[in-house]
Amino acid sequence: MTNSIDPMDLHQIKEALPHRDPFLMIDRIIGGKVDESITAQKDIKDDEFWIDGHFPRRPVMPGVLVIEAMAQAGGVLSYLSLIDVEPKPLFFLGGVNNARFRRALTPGDLLTIDVDVDRVRHGIWFYRCRASVDGELAVAADVTCGPGGHR
């Protein structure tokens, strides 16, 4: 297996993650390196489930959903890094630290999520995450994910 991660479409992401609509927060993987990093994207559409309530007349993607998108991208990275492990572990969000929200995310934005592995300790993955639009940082956070059973 090569160290680089090939682009993945929604169907391939669903093979790696248990999430489904409306809670699948990433649309595609555009690349990365196994055990090291991954880049995912989310098209923020004008029919997202949160549009009417956050906020009427000025929809803004909730920050917790951006964090969830980061964790899901990390989950795909962990899955691909452990591709030969059976049974497949199911990862859960374990923690969020140093979250900073710098820019509102609105329908029409293409959110690019970069996740780098900081370390893996006792099966727990520690990620450094950045979400940006057109190269402008929107959200940064340190995210922790750990196994919580098997798929």
Side-chain angles (χ1 to χ4, degrees):
M1 182 171 139
T2 179
N3 196 32
S4 59
I5 296 172
D6 292 330
M8 297 171 67
D9 62 19
L10 197 55
H11 175 74
Q12 293 165 308
I13 291 169
K14 287 180 178 180
E15 291 177 12
L17 294 178
H19 304 78
R20 297 296 180 263
D21 286 333
F23 224 73
L24 183 56
M25 295 290 136
I26 54 178
D27 295 321
R28 73 193 63 79
I29 301 297
I30 59 173
K33 289 188 178 180
V34 173
D35 295 319
E36 293 180 25
S37 64
I38 198 164
T39 300
Q41 290 184 322
K42 161 94 176 133
D43 296 306
I44 303 175
K45 299 177 269 327
D46 60 5
D47 64 349
E48 301 282 353
F49 73 90
W50 46 262
I51 291 284
D52 290 336
H54 200 268
F55 300 100
R57 295 181 303 280
R58 188 169 190 280
V60 175
M61 184 175 183
V64 296
L65 297 182
V66 180
I67 298 294
E68 178 65 24
M70 291 172 164
Q72 289 180 17
V76 173
L77 175 58
S78 297
Y79 175 89
L80 294 172
S81 298
L82 300 170
I83 197 75
D84 295 327
V85 173
E86 289 293 339
K88 295 278 182 254
L90 179 62
F91 287 92
F92 288 92
L93 179 61
V96 178
N97 293 302
N98 305 313
R100 298 291 180 263
F101 301 89
R102 310 243 184 243
R103 175 192 189 284
L105 299 166
T106 59
D109 285 342
L110 174 60
L111 186 64
T112 300
I113 302 157
D114 293 300
V115 175
D116 294 310
V117 175
D118 183 38
R119 65 189 182 282
V120 180
R121 188 170 179 195
H122 305 294
I124 298 171
W125 292 69
F126 298 84
Y127 307 111
R128 288 181 315 259
C129 307
R130 293 165 316 284
S132 59
V133 175
D134 294 328
E136 180 185 353
L137 181 65
V139 180
D142 298 325
V143 174
T144 305
C145 293
H150 301 287
R151 291 187 62 178

